[in-house]
Amino acid sequence: MYHYQECGLPNVYLSNGYTEHATDWGAGIAIADVAGLHRTIGLSLVAVRAHLSGADVRFIRKELGLSQTALANAMGCEEQTVSLWERQGRIPAPADRLLRALYVEHVEGSVAVAKMLENLRRNDHANAREKMTLSRARKWRVAA
């Protein structure tokens, strides 16, 4: 078995799907379908009931293609908070669940949650009133 430390997680081992070969610099490893492997690792992480570790958070963030700043913006927190989650692994349960949802959405090719978070981020400091109106069909809607 190959201990796949390159992903940044301490407990990932490959039973197959890799080949060892000699290089000018020593032994080398070639791994088949790394993107598929990372997708499988990520889906496995978000399916587990235990809280995500700091390494898990970092892995998922990188798989989402986000910097700490970008993830912090999406989650409605500070960059230092994301950094702390990754260093100490103490991510609050609501943030843990939201990060899992963002990852699953990313893998499935959807953007509904990401769009909602972006809208919330943009409106974080807005104090605008929400004006509602009842249509002739007796359905409520946001007034223009």
Side-chain angles (χ1 to χ4, degrees):
M1 293 220 315
Y2 177 68
H3 188 188
Y4 183 51
Q5 298 174 5
E6 294 86 343
C7 66
L9 299 170
N11 57 348
V12 176
Y13 292 84
L14 307 180
S15 61
N16 62 11
Y18 66 94
T19 57
E20 297 179 47
H21 58 276
T23 71
D24 292 340
W25 302 275
I29 298 289
I31 297 172
D33 187 19
V34 173
L37 173 60
H38 281 216
R39 180 179 186 271
T40 301
I41 292 168
L43 288 172
S44 175
L45 290 175
V46 301
V48 174
R49 290 181 185 236
H51 281 292
L52 295 171
S53 71
D56 297 341
V57 171
R58 184 178 307 107
F59 178 85
I60 292 170
R61 175 182 59 79
K62 288 182 176 183
E63 288 301 301
L64 289 169
L66 298 175
S67 65
Q68 287 182 341
T69 302
L71 180 59
N73 286 338
M75 302 282 282
C77 63
E78 299 294 323
E79 178 183 354
Q80 292 174 345
T81 302
V82 173
S83 175
L84 187 67
W85 294 342
E86 291 183 5
R87 284 184 283 116
Q88 297 183 357
R90 294 187 191 131
I91 182 170
D96 180 293
R97 290 178 179 169
L98 183 56
L99 183 57
R100 291 170 195 254
L102 282 171
Y103 182 75
V104 170
E105 178 182 77
H106 170 77
V107 167
E108 292 177 351
S110 178
V111 293
V113 172
K115 273 186 175 179
M116 178 195 67
L117 290 174
E118 176 59 24
N119 287 337
L120 289 171
R121 187 191 66 74
R122 267 192 267 123
N123 294 319
D124 270 347
H125 304 291
N127 291 326
R129 292 185 197 175
E130 292 293 335
K131 185 177 176 184
M132 307 295 160
T133 185
L134 187 62
S135 70
R136 291 183 186 174
R138 308 287 302 161
K139 293 188 179 183
W140 284 103
R141 63 179 176 85
V142 177

